[in-house]
């Protein structure tokens, strides 16, 4: 029994929706070598017959590395001997005008952009799951909190559209980061280019970059730092929102009668000693992953802080931040999506939670001002006195005796010059103090009123579809660039 329980918990905490392993450093260096060979052959740096020999050697090295159990070196200086063993020392001409100082940042950029697009996809799936819950629960009245205290009623649809809006900004940040990320360092050499006629624009084109990083010192020595800070930072921003979402749900697990929980079995785990417990394993898996991402982002800041420019501290491969942070953020999104797909909402219990407190009294003060010209501060004072009376007598808002309500208003109005009579009849008073009445009365842009929720939901779906189209376009662009590289490279292998 205990073994099964541990197995179930580990399964929930394992990476969700496992994807194929990302391209490794060996494959990325191979891609860089192919692009370099095409460019050096086109510019005459490498004679065409020699380029053909090198091309066939690159194919052989790649085929050997693809065999089961074969070594796949992640350093160009360990790959070059494999090439020269086949094509001879002349094959090193392919490296003309290059350095590991521009190869390593290029490998990093290739890895970062793949993981940025993977994160964008996982993020969009989470947004879709949020919108699905918002649609399903568009009219579900729930309590909302400020300063950790029940503040006003809203709908779960309105609340989750708020989270979806945050994730839409995260998606925008990813798109904006792409324009700075998808620039090529290759051809910058160590830092000052070289005397060879290296065509950096052609290298960028062959590798699917939008353009080269213009300044050659920036390309390999500075951009890896600030780009890493940007990518880890946007991952941490996303993770912080995910942590807030998780804590919102965790607050329910402190109650004996929560109004929102996770579906039992698939997302929860039992206790080894306490039969009553249904531990929210998927929820704390989400929160822990959010902490992993925030921690990794801070680790990169520390690595990049107070070091000379050009140091290796912040030039990390894909196993370290910022690449790992992007991958961890994508895993966070997959866990978040699973939690959203498994939410169980008790609508009656949520409405009961709202009705048990006085979170609608703001609307009572607003109604008095709007319909009876009672100054807001007087209406607020009257409502506050109602709350004190109700709580001291253990009464819910709906149970307040109307005679006492009128008395409290008269006392609040004393000395103000206003009539002591409450200017609302009992039916209007009750309606103004109801959660449904307060929500339906909302008139502002972005409020919880049903029409606004539906409008925002439609707009959020439009933005999501646009972001999906953007991601698909970027992936197609990379695939097309790779196809062009493969075509140009294949032409070299057929040289006499």
């Amino acid at each position: 029994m205990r073994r099964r329980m541990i197995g179930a918990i580990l399964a929930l905490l394992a990476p969700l929706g496992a994807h194929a392993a990302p391209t490794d450093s060996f494959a990325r260096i191979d891609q860089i070598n192919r692009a370099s060979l095409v460019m050096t052959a086109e510019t005459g740096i490498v004679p065409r017959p020699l380029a053909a020999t090198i091309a066939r050697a690159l194919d052989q090295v790649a085929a050997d590395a693809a065999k089961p159990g074969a070594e796949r070196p992640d350093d160009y200086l360990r790959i070059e001997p494999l090439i020269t063993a086949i094509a001879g020392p002349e094959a090193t001409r392919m490296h003309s005008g290059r350095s590991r100082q521009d190869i390593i940042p290029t490998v990093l950029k290739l890895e970062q952009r793949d993981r940025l697009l993977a994160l964008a996809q996982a993020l969009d799936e989470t947004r879709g799951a949020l919108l699905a819950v918002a649609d399903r629960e568009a009219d579900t009245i729930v309590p909302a909190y400020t300063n950790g205290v029940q503040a006003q009623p809203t709908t779960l649809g309105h609340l989750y559209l708020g989270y979806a809006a945050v994730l839409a900004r995260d998606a925008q940040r990813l798109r904006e980061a792409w324009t700075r990320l998808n620039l090529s360092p290759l051809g910058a050499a160590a830092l000052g280019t070289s005397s060879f006629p290296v065509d950096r624009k052609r290298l960028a084109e062959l590798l699917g970059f939008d353009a080269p990083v213009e300044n050659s010192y920036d390309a390999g020595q500075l951009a890896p730092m600030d780009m890493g800070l940007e990518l880890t930072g946007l991952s941490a921003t996303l993770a912080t929102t995910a942590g807030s979402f998780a804590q919102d749900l965790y607050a329910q697990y402190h109650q004996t009668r929560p109004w929102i929980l996770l579906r039992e079995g698939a997302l929860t785990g039992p206790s080894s000693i306490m039969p009553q417990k249904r531990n929210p394993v998927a929820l704390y898996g989400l929160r822990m992953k959010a902490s992993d991402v925030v921690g990794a982002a801070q680790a990169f800041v520390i690595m990049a802080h107070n070091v000379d420019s050009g140091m290796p501290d912040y030039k990390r491969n894909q196993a370290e931040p910022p690449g790992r942070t992007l991958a961890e953020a994508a895993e966070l999104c997959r866990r978040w999506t699973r939690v959203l797909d498994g939410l169980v909402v008790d609508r009656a219990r949520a409405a009961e939670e709202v009705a048990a407190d006085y979170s609608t009294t703001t609307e009572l003060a607003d109604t008095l001002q709007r319909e009876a010209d009672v100054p807001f501060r007087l209406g607020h004072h009257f409502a506050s006195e109602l709350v004190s009376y109700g709580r001291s007598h253990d009464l819910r808002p709906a149970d307040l005796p109307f005679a006492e309500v009128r008395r409290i208003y008269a006392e609040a109005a004393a000395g103000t010059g206003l009539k002591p009579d409450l200017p609302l009849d009992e039916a209007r008073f009750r309606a103004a103090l109801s959660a449904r009445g307060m929500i339906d009365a909302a008139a502002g842009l972005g409020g919880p009123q049903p029409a606004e929720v539906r409008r925002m939901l439609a707009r959020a779906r439009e933005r999501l579809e646009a972001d999906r189209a953007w991601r698909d376009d970027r992936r197609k662009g990379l695939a097309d660039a790779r196809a062009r590289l493969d075509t140009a490279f294949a032409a070299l292998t057929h040289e006499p």
Side-chain angles (χ1 to χ4, degrees):
M1 171 65 181
R2 180 175 176 80
R3 183 176 298 174
R4 288 197 301 272
M5 176 195 72
I6 294 173
I9 292 174
L10 290 177
L12 284 166
L13 292 179
L16 307 175
H19 290 242
T23 303
D24 61 10
S25 291
F26 174 87
R28 292 190 176 99
I29 294 173
D30 179 63
Q31 185 179 356
I32 290 168
N33 282 339
R34 290 166 187 261
S36 293
L37 184 60
V38 169
M39 183 277 297
T40 53
E42 291 175 348
T43 56
I45 296 173
V46 174
R48 302 288 295 199
L50 176 58
T53 300
I54 299 172
R56 287 189 283 270
L58 288 176
D59 276 344
Q60 184 60 56
V61 170
D64 292 342
K67 295 175 181 177
E71 185 179 7
R72 297 175 66 83
D74 61 359
D75 185 337
Y76 174 74
L77 288 184
R78 294 175 59 208
I79 295 173
E80 187 179 80
L82 303 178
I83 301 168
T84 57
I86 300 170
E90 287 294 301
T92 58
R93 289 177 180 268
M94 175 187 65
H95 194 59
S96 301
R98 274 192 343 188
S99 164
R100 282 194 302 173
Q101 293 292 329
D102 62 337
I103 291 176
I104 291 172
T106 305
V107 170
L108 184 62
K109 284 284 190 80
L110 294 174
E111 174 265 328
Q112 287 171 338
R113 71 183 187 184
D114 285 347
R115 292 198 172 175
L116 186 148
L117 292 178
L119 173 56
Q121 178 173 341
L123 175 61
D124 288 346
E125 289 169 357
T126 302
R127 292 167 65 191
L130 270 170
L131 295 182
V133 177
D135 187 13
R136 187 182 72 228
E137 309 294 341
D139 296 321
T140 300
I141 295 174
V142 299
Y145 300 84
T146 62
N147 297 320
V149 179
Q150 187 175 157
Q152 291 183 347
T154 186
T155 64
L156 193 57
H158 181 245
L159 196 157
Y160 278 10
L161 279 171
Y163 274 107
V166 178
L167 297 196
R169 290 196 292 275
D170 288 322
Q172 181 181 18
R173 293 182 184 105
L174 289 174
R175 294 195 309 274
E176 293 168 349
W178 178 269
T179 63
R180 291 178 286 276
L181 172 64
N182 201 38
L183 301 174
S184 172
L186 198 60
L191 55 89
T193 71
S194 74
S195 57
F196 291 100
V198 172
D199 189 340
R200 294 191 62 209
K201 291 183 179 179
R202 178 59 170 155
L203 288 172
E205 175 187 313
L206 289 167
L207 292 173
F209 290 105
D210 296 327
V213 177
E214 184 173 23
N215 184 286
S216 62
Y217 189 78
D218 178 25
Q221 310 307 328
L222 298 177
M225 180 190 294
D226 77 291
M227 200 68 241
L229 290 169
E230 181 172 2
L231 296 177
T232 55
L234 65 85
S235 297
T237 298
L238 167 62
T240 302
T241 303
S244 177
F245 176 90
Q247 288 305 104
D248 282 354
L249 289 185
Y250 253 116
Q252 292 297 309
Y253 275 88
H254 295 169
Q255 301 187 33
T256 55
R257 294 181 60 220
W259 57 264
I260 189 167
L261 289 167
L262 298 181
R263 185 174 58 250
E264 287 191 17
L267 303 178
T268 63
S271 165
S272 64
I273 189 174
M274 293 163 281
Q276 85 283 2
K277 291 192 73 181
R278 306 294 185 268
N279 296 318
V281 178
L283 186 56
Y284 61 69
L286 167 61
R287 191 184 66 182
M288 288 191 296
K289 186 56 63 179
S291 297
D292 289 342
V293 173
V294 172
Q298 294 306 309
F300 187 80
V301 172
I302 293 170
M303 284 191 293
H305 177 63
N306 274 355
V307 297
D308 295 349
S309 62
M311 294 297 286
D313 303 57
Y314 52 85
K315 298 178 185 177
R316 301 288 175 150
N317 63 29
Q318 71 276 9
E320 299 294 337
R324 182 172 64 83
T325 310
L326 293 171
E328 293 289 297
E331 172 58 20
L332 176 151
C333 288
R334 289 190 284 273
R335 294 187 181 201
W336 195 349
T337 299
R338 193 176 185 198
V339 166
L340 287 164
D341 289 344
L343 289 182
V344 178
V345 180
D346 186 336
R347 295 167 184 166
R349 175 70 187 96
E352 179 185 320
E353 184 81 4
V354 172
D357 205 353
Y358 285 80
S359 60
T360 58
T361 49
T362 298
E363 177 57 24
L364 176 60
D366 289 349
T367 299
L368 285 168
Q369 176 177 316
R370 192 174 60 250
E371 298 181 8
D373 203 26
V374 174
F376 175 77
R377 191 52 56 197
L378 172 57
H380 184 280
H381 174 62
F382 159 60
S384 180
E385 290 299 311
L386 273 184
V387 172
S388 297
Y389 173 85
R391 286 175 174 169
S392 66
H393 289 79
D394 198 22
L395 295 171
R396 300 188 312 165
D399 299 329
L400 289 168
F402 193 60
E404 289 298 314
V405 171
R406 295 176 65 187
R407 178 188 63 79
I408 294 170
Y409 180 83
E411 291 179 356
T416 65
L418 296 176
K419 294 180 180 179
D421 297 328
L422 178 66
L424 302 176
D425 61 25
E426 183 170 2
R428 188 68 191 95
F429 168 78
R430 302 290 182 196
L433 209 54
S434 71
R436 175 52 62 189
M438 182 174 183
I439 289 170
D440 289 347
L445 176 72
Q449 62 269 37
E452 267 300 273
V453 168
R454 292 297 172 188
R455 184 193 65 79
M456 288 188 288
L457 186 59
R459 176 64 182 131
R461 284 172 170 156
E462 290 173 359
R463 292 183 67 181
L464 177 56
E465 287 307 309
D467 289 340
R468 286 170 172 162
W470 174 88
R471 185 189 71 238
D472 291 344
D473 285 346
R474 300 291 85 69
R475 281 184 167 157
K476 184 178 184 302
L478 296 184
D480 289 347
R482 185 57 198 250
R484 290 191 295 270
L485 170 59
D486 290 345
T487 298
F489 183 83
L492 291 179
T493 65
H494 292 96
E495 289 280 341

